[in-house]
Amino acid sequence: LYIDEMMEAHNELVERRDESFVKLIEKFDNIKSIDFVPPDEVSNVLRKYQKEGFKWLRSVEELGFGGILADDMGLGKTLQTIAFLSSVATADSKILILAPSSLIYNWKEEFEKFAPQMEVEVIYGLKASRDEVIASNPQVAITSYASFRQDVEQYEKNQYQHLILDEAQVMK
């Protein structure tokens, strides 16, 4: 937005704005007017602050950015993220979730509860079984950071529309 203001203030220096840039600025200007509605499966479950988190994630997605959803432990970031993914995923979408080993089955349980329509696989255990599940390219793949590091070449063969990093400080 700052760049747009500077370009407008000094239009003698800029012959024209790129069409994609103009569209991005229009999206920024209109994003607050979009009413992102959570999926029916979670609409009655989400608390007010969780609905705000969901709307923020949808706004970031709409603008073509990535983002960080951070708040205190136990406030439902997993549920907000599942609501977001459920609202944007198509049958062809591929989602990769990296989480600490202690949380991967929790993610699966939460998907089963709040987004049962999504195909979710945990990729963990013996190398041969992990390779088999990665090759099947499920809609939602959930794995641990340690397993991902061991299997990164297999994951590179797939394309993912969304990457979710739970406890992202592990990425340091």
Side-chain angles (χ1 to χ4, degrees):
L1 294 174
Y2 176 78
I3 292 171
D4 185 55
E5 286 179 20
M6 291 297 101
M7 290 172 79
E8 199 168 296
H10 302 283
N11 60 4
E12 71 279 359
L13 300 175
V14 180
E15 189 172 310
R16 67 176 179 82
R17 291 182 179 96
D18 178 82
E19 185 178 329
S20 62
F21 181 78
V22 171
K23 286 181 180 180
L24 179 63
I25 296 301
E26 287 173 3
K27 279 186 177 184
F28 267 110
D29 288 341
N30 296 320
I31 199 72
K32 287 186 179 184
S33 66
I34 301 174
D35 186 26
F36 296 110
V37 179
D40 291 339
E41 297 84 4
V42 296
S43 188
N44 294 331
V45 178
L46 291 174
R47 294 185 171 106
K48 184 178 181 193
Y49 68 89
Q50 291 171 320
K51 288 180 181 177
E52 290 301 316
F54 164 80
K55 288 178 181 179
W56 182 82
L57 288 170
R58 287 289 285 120
S59 297
V60 170
E61 167 83 3
E62 184 69 24
L63 293 168
F65 297 129
I68 297 172
L69 181 61
D71 60 22
D72 291 333
M73 198 167 124
L75 294 180
K77 292 179 293 294
T78 302
L79 176 57
Q80 293 172 63
T81 303
I82 290 172
F84 160 71
L85 292 171
S86 180
S87 73
V88 298
T90 66
D92 297 329
S93 294
K94 302 299 178 189
I95 299 158
L96 178 60
I97 299 174
L98 303 183
S101 301
S102 61
L103 297 176
I104 57 177
Y105 289 102
N106 179 65
W107 271 95
K108 183 166 175 63
E109 289 172 9
E110 295 290 296
F111 267 101
E112 289 170 351
K113 190 186 305 182
F114 298 111
Q117 75 283 4
M118 298 183 80
E119 175 202 3
V120 179
E121 293 289 340
V122 170
I123 302 171
Y124 197 69
L126 298 174
K127 175 76 169 136
S129 64
R130 291 195 319 263
D131 287 347
E132 187 178 313
V133 179
I134 295 168
S136 74
N137 202 13
Q139 184 179 27
V140 180
I142 304 169
T143 194
S144 69
Y145 287 99
S147 292
F148 178 77
R149 280 191 295 273
Q150 295 172 11
D151 302 331
V152 69
E153 288 90 18
Q154 283 76 16
Y155 285 103
E156 288 176 341
K157 296 173 186 172
N158 299 333
Q159 289 191 11
Y160 298 95
Q161 283 72 43
H162 294 91
L163 170 63
I164 305 298
L165 304 174
D166 191 354
E167 302 294 335
Q169 72 274 8
V170 173
M171 295 304 290
K172 285 182 188 178

